[in-house]
Amino acid sequence: MLIGIVRTLILFAVVVIGLRLMGKRQVGKLQPYELVIVIMLSALAAIPMENTGVPLLSGLFPIFTLIVAQVAMSYLSLKSERARGIICGTPSVLVENGKIVEEELARIRYNINDLLEQLRAKNMPNIADVEFAILETSGELSVIPKSQRRPVMPEDLNLPTKYEGLPVTLIIDGYVFKKNLARINLSEGWLRSELSKFGVRSFKEVLFAHLDTEGKLLYQVKSKAV
């Protein structure tokens, strides 16, 4: 049993590292070849986990091979437009200027009901309001509404706007992000002093705290401080 546990942990670590090397993608955003590799990785890892009679290296070698193949294909598709088209495919225009491109739907075997469902999910129930609907290589539908149907932007009304950066996370569940404090030239002493103004005596009492783009400290204490 101990051997099985150790083998499982080793294979788990290898697969996790492999997925990290593949990049940060949601399962629904994987390219077809990436999805195939993920499925194959899980199948290959399961064999030596279930059967301790199979040498561990017999499972690790094909896993490493798949990881190397995926990284190589990703690099190739990054450097070559032609290779990217072969490996990942090309986007398909399903709606153009408010009209369904029937030939493209037939070519990729994508039915109209699925198209309408995806448009409704994008808050575009009326095809006539759509300038372009493009099926990306990941399977997600990108919708570009006609200019008359797009939300009004401050630029359209010639309204001045100020820069909006990203809030800086300072504390999560009592843990202080010292690197973030250093990046904005602040210290733990400053943070402790600011929190003390609101009656917070310890970082451990804080569930979440961040500094917004206007320099305001926003925080939330835990329901039960630890």
Side-chain angles (χ1 to χ4, degrees):
M1 183 179 292
L2 181 60
I3 293 175
I5 293 174
V6 173
R7 287 164 64 98
T8 299
L9 292 175
I10 292 173
L11 288 164
F12 172 75
V14 170
V15 172
V16 169
I17 292 171
L19 292 177
R20 290 287 292 166
L21 290 173
M22 288 174 61
K24 296 181 179 180
R25 294 275 193 103
Q26 296 180 12
V27 174
K29 302 294 180 66
L30 293 175
Q31 296 291 342
Y33 79 94
E34 292 176 324
L35 180 59
V36 170
I37 288 177
V38 169
I39 294 172
M40 292 181 68
L41 283 177
S42 62
L44 289 170
I47 294 172
M49 277 195 292
E50 294 175 353
N51 187 358
T52 55
V54 176
L56 189 58
L57 287 177
S58 298
L60 292 177
F61 183 75
I63 289 175
F64 284 128
T65 302
L66 282 177
I67 293 172
V68 171
Q70 192 278 334
V71 172
M73 292 176 71
S74 296
Y75 183 80
L76 183 62
S77 64
L78 180 66
K79 295 297 182 180
S80 171
E81 183 70 28
R82 184 175 181 182
R84 181 160 53 249
I86 295 172
I87 296 171
C88 303
T90 56
S92 300
V93 178
L94 305 184
V95 178
E96 184 174 357
N97 195 24
K99 294 183 179 180
I100 297 173
V101 183
E102 186 178 354
E103 298 80 8
E104 192 64 16
L105 260 67
R107 187 183 72 82
I108 63 174
R109 298 178 297 282
Y110 198 91
N111 65 62
I112 294 178
N113 287 331
D114 288 340
L115 175 61
L116 294 175
E117 179 182 343
Q118 291 297 318
L119 289 174
R120 288 194 296 270
K122 300 288 185 179
N123 294 320
M124 296 296 295
N126 190 350
I127 291 181
D129 296 336
V130 179
E131 186 71 42
F132 290 102
I134 303 169
L135 186 65
E136 307 293 355
T137 55
S138 64
E140 185 175 355
L141 188 71
S142 299
V143 180
I144 303 173
K146 291 185 176 180
S147 57
Q148 304 93 322
R149 297 295 181 179
R150 295 173 192 168
V152 177
M153 306 293 288
E155 183 181 10
D156 299 329
L157 303 176
N158 294 320
L159 296 176
T161 58
K162 57 183 179 180
Y163 171 75
E164 292 183 0
L166 291 174
V168 180
T169 301
L170 302 179
I171 301 175
I172 291 180
D173 197 16
Y175 177 79
V176 179
F177 290 84
K178 298 178 182 179
K179 288 185 179 180
N180 289 355
L181 279 169
R183 183 161 56 88
I184 56 177
N185 298 318
L186 295 174
S187 65
E188 288 187 57
W190 172 87
L191 182 57
R192 185 177 285 106
S193 174
E194 290 297 308
L195 290 172
S196 66
K197 296 178 182 178
F198 304 101
V200 180
R201 294 170 294 179
S202 170
F203 294 144
K204 296 294 184 182
E205 300 177 20
V206 182
L207 178 66
F208 177 76
H210 77 189
L211 197 70
D212 68 12
T213 55
E214 295 181 353
K216 295 180 181 178
L217 179 65
L218 304 177
Y219 75 97
Q220 179 180 336
V221 297
K222 299 178 183 179
S223 55
K224 293 182 180 180
V226 294

